[in-house]
Amino acid sequence: MKIAIASGKGGTGKTTVAVNFALSIENVQLFDCDVEEPNCHLFLGFNLEKVEDINILTPVVDKTKCDFCGNCSEFCQFNAIAVLPDDVLVFPALCHGCGGCVMVCPKDAIVYENRSIGIIEKSKGGNIEFYRGVLNIGEAMASPVIKALKKHVDESKTAIFDAPPGTACPVISSVQGADYCILVTESTPFGFHDLLLALDVLRKLEIPFGIIINRCDIGDDRVEKYCDTERIPVLMKIPHDRKIARLYSEGIPFVNRIPEWKVKFVQLLNKIQAQI
């Protein structure tokens, strides 16, 4: 089973839930899909090893063949190629590697070369097989790294995807194909607003979902009232607890020091299995 953990806004506790959930169940893989700023490893203490480079195809123009017709520039929806009267400019960071410019070139003047945009790393400890993607600094496209990361899913295990914040392409790449998505939120005006955005995404993708309310005793009850009205399951509530906060600040998963929470996360898995 593949379970994504997402949220409309950053800082709601997605990684806290993902790491503690993974540490509480057996036969599990944990994937840090927040490739622009992965941080699950900070709580696991594993030694990471490189698995592979992630490359995308980038066009290279042979100007001795090019007649500067402009077909490639007109075709590219991402403005990765600009054709001047006697020159062609390629902007690799904008290229999505679709191959269209090669197809429309009448002079076969364009070829592709691989360009590294990130890496996949892995490690293993205890009951967890851990993978993370790391996007190279300055790169704009996280989705190719996330898609490559998810190819390491073992279908015989429970896979947990710690998604990036927001509702943009990296989030969609992270949750797509999941059997279930947990949305972690907080009952504040900002948290509720972004929760609604994330819910819209999951409804369009037709992925079953439930809610975890983190720091449930701050803010107001608007999230619970909305979930009750819309019949959205509230799977778990995590209190605004000083001990949990202190352990987090020390990089210690709270299930390692408060064992009764392991039971709660096992119950969480049972709830999800029953729902789907």
Side-chain angles (χ1 to χ4, degrees):
M1 181 167 58
K2 297 184 282 290
I3 303 171
I5 299 177
S7 166
K9 70 181 285 290
T12 58
K14 292 182 300 300
T15 297
T16 297
V17 169
V19 171
N20 284 280
F21 191 12
L23 287 168
S24 301
I25 61 178
E26 298 296 327
N27 199 32
V28 64
Q29 290 180 303
L30 174 61
F31 294 84
D32 194 339
C33 297
D34 189 1
V35 301
E36 295 178 80
E37 197 63 44
N39 64 343
C40 286
H41 65 287
L42 299 176
F43 300 93
L44 296 171
F46 294 165
N47 293 318
L48 296 163
E49 62 179 82
K50 180 178 171 181
V51 177
E52 61 179 317
D53 288 297
I54 305 304
N55 301 306
I56 62 170
L57 297 174
T58 303
V60 177
V61 180
D62 184 345
K63 295 175 187 176
T64 63
K65 294 181 179 179
C66 179
D67 63 0
F68 309 103
C69 67
N71 286 1
C72 56
S73 181
E74 291 175 10
F75 181 89
C76 184
Q77 298 299 301
F78 303 102
N79 300 313
I81 299 183
V83 179
L84 306 178
D86 57 358
D87 200 5
V88 179
L89 303 179
V90 177
F91 304 97
L94 299 179
C95 178
H96 285 57
C98 71
C101 57
V102 173
M103 295 171 62
V104 300
C105 179
K107 299 295 185 179
D108 294 326
I110 303 176
V111 295
Y112 271 103
E113 66 178 18
N114 280 322
R115 181 172 65 84
S116 175
I117 62 167
I119 61 171
I120 305 297
E121 296 179 318
K122 74 172 184 178
S123 60
K124 189 171 184 179
N127 64 314
I128 297 178
E129 185 179 346
F130 174 64
Y131 288 86
R132 74 167 188 167
V134 183
L135 186 69
N136 290 346
I137 293 172
E139 293 293 343
M141 291 186 294
S143 292
V145 179
I146 296 168
K147 291 174 182 177
L149 177 66
K150 292 171 67 177
K151 290 179 181 178
H152 294 276
V153 168
D154 183 341
E155 297 290 343
S156 69
K157 299 182 178 182
T158 300
I160 297 173
F161 304 139
D162 182 18
T167 54
C169 293
V171 176
I172 293 171
S173 295
S174 299
V175 304
Q176 222 162 20
D179 300 303
Y180 194 88
C181 184
I182 299 170
L183 288 173
V184 184
T185 190
E186 55 195 25
S187 198
T188 61
F190 192 9
F192 180 60
H193 173 272
D194 284 5
L195 172 65
L196 296 180
L197 298 177
L199 285 169
D200 282 344
V201 170
L202 294 179
R203 284 168 174 148
K204 285 182 172 63
L205 294 174
E206 298 182 344
I207 298 172
F209 55 82
I211 307 294
I212 289 180
I213 304 176
N214 192 23
R215 297 186 289 272
C216 63
D217 40 8
I218 64 170
D220 51 39
D221 62 353
R222 70 184 70 197
V223 169
E224 288 192 73
K225 284 183 176 178
Y226 179 81
C227 290
D228 185 57
T229 301
E230 296 292 319
R231 297 184 177 179
I232 299 170
V234 176
L235 303 167
M236 177 185 282
K237 298 178 185 177
I238 301 174
H240 186 51
D241 181 271
R242 185 180 182 87
K243 185 175 183 180
I244 291 175
R246 186 176 68 251
L247 290 169
Y248 175 87
S249 70
E250 296 172 359
I252 301 172
F254 62 83
V255 295
N256 288 346
R257 299 291 178 86
I258 316 175
E260 56 266 32
W261 275 99
K262 281 195 174 185
V263 177
K264 294 180 181 181
F265 278 107
V266 171
Q267 292 170 345
L268 170 65
L269 179 62
N270 293 336
K271 290 178 184 177
I272 292 170
Q273 289 173 331
Q275 188 176 334
I276 64 174

